[in-house]
Amino acid sequence: MAALRAVLAAARVGSLPLGRGPRAPCSALAAAMQPAPHWLAGLRFDNRALRALPVEAPPGAEDAASTPRLVPGACFSRARPAPLREPRLVALSEPALALLGLRAPPADAAAAAAAREAEAALFFSGNALLPGAEPAAHCYCGHQFGQFAGQLGDGAAMYLGEVCPAAGERWELQLKGAGLTPFSRQADGRKVLRSSIREFLCSEAMFYLGVPTTRAGACVTSASTVVRDVFYDGNPKREKCTVVLRIAPTFIRFGSFEIFKPADALTGREGPSVGRNDIRIQMLDYVIGSFYPEIQAAHADDHLRRNTAFFREVTRRTARLVAEWQCVGFCHGVLNTDNMSIVGLTIDYGPFGFLDRYDPDHVCNASDSGGRYAYGKQPEVCKWNLQRLAEALVPELPLEVGTAVLAEEFDAEFQRHYLQKMRGKLGLVGTELEEDPALVAQLLETMHLTGADFTNTFRLLSDFVAGPLSPEQAAVLDQLLEQCASLEELKRALQPQMDPRQLSLMLMLAQSNPQLLALVGSQASVARELERIEQHSQLEQLSSAELQARNRTLWTQWLQKYSARLAKDAEGVGDTEAWRAEHVRVMQATNPKYVLRNYIAQTAIEAAENGDFSEVSGVWPTQFLLGAGGCAWPGPWAALTPAALQVRRVLKLLEAPYCQEEEPAGAGEAADTVGPQYSYSSRPPPWAAELCVT
C-alpha cells in the first residue's frame, strides 16, 4: 500500500493544468524530482535511433521547444510531454505489455493491481518520465491525398525511447496525444477519448487477426479537455484528452525519407532537409542495419545491391500487408505516404473501418470525398506510395532500379498472397487450380450484388458441404440470405449523393473542361454517381420478395460452382473425413467471427465517455471462465448483477476473433437501441449504417 500511496501522490502532484510542458529534465535536481517507478522499474532503455540519426539542437528558450517550425537537418526534435489533469487508466493490453517484459499481478492481488494502474496512469499519460526515456518527435513529410504536403512530423506523438527486454528484441515506445511538438502546426498535440479508444482497440484487434501492426499497451484519459468539431459542421464540443501508449519495432515510415524532397512541381512545397543526402545515407544505414540485418549482412560491401534488396523487401512486405487487409475487409482510410510503415506494419489508426456490407467502393473516411482510399483501391494506392518511396531514395537507389523492382514485385506478390489467403478462406486445402481466382471474384461479385455481410458470409461457408442438394446445403443458403442487405438498406446505401444541379455541372465540365473538373472532382466520381443513380432506380422497381428471389438465385448459382470446386479439391484424397476436418479447421482459423466494426467501437466509446471503461478494457467479473475453445466467457448470466451485465468485453472478444464457442444469451448487448439478445457476431444493427468517421 505504501507504493500505491506514493504513486497516487505523485500523480496528484504531476497533474498540472493543460499546457505546454518544459523540455526534458536536464539537471540532477529535476531528475531527482521525478517519481520512481515500481512495476515499470525493470524497463531498460537503449535509444539507438537518437544516437544513429541527427537530433535537432534545442532552441535557446524552453518554451520554444514546442513552437511549430521547420526542422531542417534533423530526423528528431527533443520534446516534452505536457501534463494532464487527473490522469485515469482506461485500459491495459496485457499481451502487448508482455512484449516489454511486464507481467500482470496475480488475479487476487487487488492492491498490486491498483498500484500498477496508478503507475500506468502516471507514466503512460506523460505526467512523469521513466528513467532512460528521452522524449522526441520524429520529422517526416508526406503525400496526402496524392499531393505533397511538405513537412508533417509527429504533431501529437512522442518517441519515448527503445526498450530491450530480451536479447535481440527492441521495442520503440510512443505516447500519442502527449502534447505540443515542433510539428503540431495549428493543432494542440492532443488526442481525445473516442479516437484513442479506436486506435487502442484496433491495434490489438489487427494483431489477433494475424495482420502485421503496431501495438497498443495502454490508454489513459484525464480531466483535461480540448475543443473538437467532430464532423466539421460548426458544432464543437469539449472532449477529454487521452493518450495511447504505442509499441512497435520502429515508427519510421515512407514519409521519413521524403524530408529531402526538392520543391514539388504541383504544390511548390519541399522537404525541410533538401540536399542533405548525408542524412539519407544515415537513415538507410540505420533502418537496414536495425530492421533488415540479414540484408545488411548479405550486402555489407555493396550499397547499391543492399539498397535494392531493401526496397525489394519493403515492396514485398507492403504487398502482403495490403493483401491481408483485403482478406479481412479492413479499410485504412488515410493511406498517405506518411502513414506507411517502413517495416510493413499497419500504422496510424484514424478513420479506419471494417466492411459490413461488401462494397469494393466503400470509403470509411467521410473526409475522403473523392474516394481515393476506398477499400478496393488500397492495393493500387500502396503501390503508388511505394513509387514515391523509390523517388525519395534517389540517388542512393537509382529511380530506374526502384521502378523496375516495384513493377517486378508488387503485383505478383500481392496476387500470390491474396490468392493464398482466399483459398484458405474457402477451405481449398488440396489442389490449387487456375480457376480459383475466378471463383473468388464471382463470390465477391455475388456478395456485392446482394449486399452480403463480408465477415459473416465467409464464416458461414465453413458449414457448406459439397455434393448433391441436401438439407445442410439448404440451411447454409438460408443463412447466407439472412446476411444480405434488405431492400431498404440497399436503397439507403445507394442513395445518390450529389445534388442534381451539381451533377449536371460536373457532366458539362467532363465534356468541355476536364482540367477544371479535376479541381472540383473527378470523372471517376461522376461515373460512380451515375452508377448509383442507375442502381437506385433499379431498386425502386423491385419488391422485397423479388429482391429475395434474385438473391436466392445468385447465391444458388455460386454455391453450385463452389460445390464443384470442393469436389475437385477432395479428389484423390484417401481419407475424406480427414480432408473435411482440415477444410473446416482452415476456414475457421482464417475467417474471423469478430472484427472491430464501427458500431462495436462506438459502443465502447459511449460507455467510456460515461465513465464505464469495462467495454474497452474487457475487465471480467469473477464469474467469467475460460471456455474449452480458448475463449473467455462468463458463467451463467442469470447469476450476474445488473452492474456485471454492463461489464463489456470488446477487447477480450477481439483477442479471440476466431473463437468457435457461441456467445451466451445477452452477452453481446451493444447499446440500449439494440436489445439484450444482440450479438457482436451478428449483422450490424440498423443504426450502425448512420455512423460517420472523419
Side-chain angles (χ1 to χ4, degrees):
M1 291 302 295
L4 172 60
R5 286 194 294 270
V7 171
L8 290 173
R12 286 194 294 270
V13 171
S15 299
L16 303 177
L18 176 64
R20 298 180 181 179
R23 287 183 59 249
C26 54
S27 68
L29 177 61
M33 292 174 64
Q34 287 286 313
H38 298 277
W39 170 55
L40 300 173
L43 295 181
R44 296 290 179 264
F45 285 87
D46 177 39
N47 305 327
R48 180 190 292 171
L50 299 188
R51 296 195 305 272
L53 300 174
V55 181
E56 180 197 41
E62 286 190 348
D63 284 345
S66 57
T67 302
R69 61 186 181 276
L70 281 178
V71 179
C75 297
F76 287 92
S77 179
R78 300 284 182 182
R80 171 77 182 195
L84 293 170
R85 290 188 295 111
E86 301 173 25
R88 180 185 177 192
L89 183 69
V90 176
L92 296 174
S93 171
E94 303 291 359
L97 293 174
L99 296 173
L100 311 179
L102 298 173
R103 296 288 182 259
D108 57 351
R116 188 179 69 136
E117 290 196 4
E119 190 168 319
L122 176 65
F123 288 97
F124 295 155
S125 65
N127 278 26
L129 287 179
L130 291 164
E134 297 182 78
H138 179 42
C139 181
Y140 53 82
C141 294
H143 281 79
Q144 299 192 318
F145 291 89
Q147 306 294 320
F148 186 65
Q151 177 180 291
L152 299 170
D154 285 336
M158 292 186 195
Y159 165 103
L160 281 185
E162 299 158 60
V163 171
C164 302
E169 293 184 355
R170 178 177 293 270
W171 298 100
E172 180 180 326
L173 304 188
Q174 257 197 9
L175 294 182
K176 186 170 182 178
L180 286 169
T181 77
F183 310 107
S184 297
R185 291 170 285 172
Q186 289 78 40
D188 52 28
R190 292 301 190 188
K191 295 297 178 182
V192 296
L193 187 59
R194 56 184 165 81
S195 62
S196 299
I197 285 175
R198 283 173 57 83
E199 171 137 16
F200 175 80
L201 289 175
C202 201
S203 299
E204 295 306 279
M206 292 288 272
F207 172 77
Y208 286 100
L209 286 170
V211 181
T213 180
T214 59
R215 302 293 299 274
C219 182
V220 179
T221 193
S222 70
S224 299
T225 61
V226 288
V227 175
R228 292 287 186 268
D229 187 346
V230 181
F231 300 112
Y232 307 105
D233 59 0
N235 293 296
K237 67 173 186 177
R238 287 205 162 269
E239 299 190 60
K240 293 179 180 179
C241 296
T242 306
V243 177
V244 174
L245 174 71
R246 305 203 298 181
I247 304 169
T250 181
F251 286 90
I252 290 178
R253 56 217 48 217
F254 290 9
S256 303
F257 288 91
E258 292 189 291
I259 63 174
F260 316 108
K261 181 176 171 57
D264 184 77
L266 287 177
T267 66
R269 299 188 181 100
E270 63 182 25
S273 297
V274 177
R276 294 297 305 271
N277 193 53
D278 57 320
I279 300 178
R280 181 172 12 229
I281 293 171
Q282 281 182 271
M283 288 184 65
L284 281 166
D285 289 346
Y286 168 70
V287 169
I288 298 172
S290 298
F291 310 112
Y292 297 88
E294 67 288 349
I295 291 176
Q296 178 65 38
H299 306 290
D301 298 325
D302 189 331
H303 279 200
L304 177 56
R305 288 192 175 185
R306 182 198 70 167
N307 296 345
T308 302
F310 160 67
F311 184 68
R312 188 182 304 276
E313 182 59 22
V314 173
T315 297
R316 289 173 175 169
R317 290 191 188 187
T318 304
R320 292 194 294 268
L321 176 67
V322 69
E324 293 279 352
W325 293 348
Q326 303 306 100
C327 289
V328 295
F330 175 76
C331 194
H332 185 282
V334 198
L335 277 179
N336 302 325
T337 57
D338 53 291
N339 292 334
M340 299 287 295
S341 164
I342 203 67
V343 291
L345 304 176
T346 314
I347 190 173
D348 289 345
Y349 292 93
F352 66 85
F354 285 85
L355 292 178
D356 294 328
R357 176 179 61 85
Y358 176 73
D359 178 6
D361 295 325
H362 174 69
V363 177
C364 61
N365 178 4
S367 304
D368 184 7
S369 57
R372 177 180 176 83
Y373 298 142
Y375 164 79
K377 292 182 178 179
Q378 291 184 132
E380 171 191 338
V381 168
C382 286
K383 186 177 181 181
W384 190 91
N385 288 341
L386 281 161
Q387 184 63 47
R388 306 289 80 76
L389 175 61
E391 294 167 0
L393 296 179
V394 176
E396 295 310 300
L397 181 68
L399 184 57
E400 61 273 16
V401 175
T403 301
V405 167
L406 184 57
E408 177 185 344
E409 296 288 351
F410 185 86
D411 292 340
E413 186 71 6
F414 172 80
Q415 290 296 337
R416 185 197 64 77
H417 196 74
Y418 177 78
L419 189 55
Q420 177 188 31
K421 295 290 293 187
M422 279 295 179
R423 283 192 174 106
K425 291 175 78 67
L426 293 178
L428 302 177
V429 296
T431 57
E432 296 182 2
L433 300 180
E434 291 184 1
E435 66 194 56
D436 292 347
L439 182 70
V440 171
Q442 290 159 2
L443 169 60
L444 296 178
E445 179 64 12
T446 302
M447 292 170 66
H448 188 203
L449 291 173
T450 61
D453 186 90
F454 182 85
T455 299
N456 292 349
T457 295
F458 277 106
R459 189 76 179 179
L460 284 171
L461 288 176
S462 63
D463 294 329
F464 183 79
V465 179
L469 185 62
S470 64
E472 291 82 3
Q473 287 186 358
V476 171
L477 175 58
D478 289 340
Q479 289 177 307
L480 288 171
L481 292 174
E482 291 175 2
Q483 295 302 320
C484 297
S486 69
L487 183 59
E488 290 308 311
E489 287 172 331
L490 286 176
K491 285 180 179 179
R492 187 165 53 245
L494 294 170
Q495 188 74 28
Q497 296 178 338
M498 291 185 188
D499 182 277
R501 291 169 296 181
Q502 178 191 5
L503 179 59
S504 177
L505 174 62
M506 295 184 75
L507 285 169
M508 182 182 68
L509 289 176
Q511 296 293 325
S512 62
N513 195 338
Q515 292 80 12
L516 181 57
L517 174 64
L519 296 176
V520 297
S522 68
Q523 292 191 4
S525 63
V526 173
R528 278 198 310 273
E529 185 66 9
L530 291 173
E531 184 179 358
R532 293 174 72 89
I533 292 172
E534 174 64 22
Q535 291 174 330
H536 192 270
S537 175
Q538 291 175 0
L539 290 173
E540 290 288 355
Q541 311 304 315
L542 280 179
S543 67
S544 294
E546 289 170 332
L547 177 66
Q548 183 80 348
R550 189 190 74 172
N551 290 350
R552 181 175 290 275
T553 298
L554 289 168
W555 276 109
T556 299
Q557 291 172 346
W558 185 82
L559 287 173
Q560 289 172 347
K561 296 175 183 176
Y562 183 43
S563 179
R565 177 62 183 90
L566 288 178
K568 291 180 182 178
D569 204 60
E571 282 180 359
V573 173
D575 188 341
T576 305
E577 287 302 315
W579 172 88
R580 172 67 184 167
E582 179 65 5
H583 161 83
V584 172
R585 185 197 67 78
V586 169
M587 291 188 75
Q588 292 182 341
T590 312
N591 295 309
K593 184 175 183 179
Y594 304 105
V595 294
L596 184 60
R597 300 176 189 261
N598 272 339
Y599 88 92
I600 299 177
Q602 185 63 25
T603 300
I605 290 166
E606 290 177 2
E609 288 179 336
N610 291 324
D612 175 10
F613 300 149
S614 59
E615 188 74 359
V616 183
S617 62
V619 176
W620 299 73
T622 56
Q623 294 94 328
F624 279 56
L625 306 172
L626 188 66
C631 311
W633 293 133
W637 279 82
L640 300 182
T641 64
L645 282 172
Q646 296 304 314
V647 175
R648 311 301 178 100
R649 68 223 188 287
V650 171
L651 184 60
K652 290 298 180 185
L653 288 183
L654 297 175
E655 288 177 358
Y658 301 102
C659 181
Q660 304 305 316
E661 294 188 5
E662 293 298 319
E663 293 172 78
E669 52 184 317
D672 293 340
T673 56
V674 177
Q677 301 302 316
Y678 207 84
S679 165
Y680 280 150
S681 62
S682 301
R683 283 185 64 223
W687 58 264
E690 307 302 320
L691 290 174
C692 176
V693 184
T694 62

